Amino acid sequence: MPDSKKKRLLYSTPAYRAHLTREFAAMQTDPGDFTYFAGGFSAPAATGYLKIAWDDLRAVFAYKRDLYATDELCLDIFCPENNSLTITEETAGWHTFTEQLAAHLPLLPGWYGEVAVPAFKTKLTLPYERENRSFAQAVAVYYPTDAQPA
């Protein structure tokens, strides 16, 4: 039985649109589980939190996962000491992290659009690589043959 104390928002009403606008604005500024400090960030990992300096990042690969009804943009972040993490659009703090990434690294211009279009195609892209390797060289260095996003 529906809870009569909860306010219901009807689809396509001004109240519903205002609610969505507030939710979107909150999502855009939410740092999620990331913490930012002068020169770097901390991110959750299986072994606790990784503290990573922007200058120490080795590579950033971007791609999409086909989830059948939708796509999900992903970033594979390669760090020192063979540490890496994957961040997706569903990761709390995604928007803030991608803004911070762009503010601190010389990313490939237009990388987001390059990955996002066309729909349902993985399109592995290399927005950043510290050693200026070519795409093919970087893929060979960072992904074992059978571990490349498909």
Side-chain angles (χ1 to χ4, degrees):
M1 180 133 283
D3 185 348
S4 61
K5 294 178 186 172
K6 287 187 178 179
K7 183 177 178 183
R8 292 200 186 108
L9 296 175
L10 299 176
Y11 180 73
S12 284
T13 63
Y16 180 76
R17 287 191 295 277
H19 172 74
L20 290 180
T21 300
R22 284 189 304 277
E23 277 189 346
F24 186 72
M27 184 178 68
Q28 294 284 343
T29 58
D30 178 14
D33 289 333
F34 298 95
T35 304
Y36 300 96
F37 55 87
F41 65 99
S42 293
T47 57
Y49 273 78
L50 289 176
K51 188 173 182 179
I52 303 161
W54 295 112
D55 291 341
D56 289 342
L57 287 182
R58 295 171 48 211
V60 176
F61 281 88
Y63 57 94
K64 271 192 313 249
R65 287 186 184 139
D66 179 359
L67 302 178
Y68 301 106
T70 62
D71 284 333
E72 180 179 47
L73 269 66
C74 305
L75 294 175
D76 284 347
I77 313 292
F78 292 91
C79 310
E81 300 173 21
N82 292 323
N83 286 317
S84 66
L85 56 135
T86 299
I87 300 166
T88 76
E89 288 178 296
E90 296 301 315
T91 302
W94 162 269
H95 294 283
T96 301
F97 183 81
T98 56
E99 286 175 0
Q100 290 289 319
L101 195 64
H104 292 93
L105 297 177
L107 300 178
L108 175 70
W111 71 267
Y112 191 92
E114 186 74 22
V115 174
V117 178
F120 306 111
K121 184 176 179 188
T122 301
K123 204 163 186 185
L124 184 64
T125 303
L126 182 63
Y128 173 76
E129 205 284 325
R130 185 173 59 182
E131 303 297 324
N132 293 315
R133 293 179 176 103
S134 71
F135 175 78
Q137 291 169 328
V139 167
V141 167
Y142 297 106
Y143 292 106
T145 307
D146 61 343
Q148 196 179 103

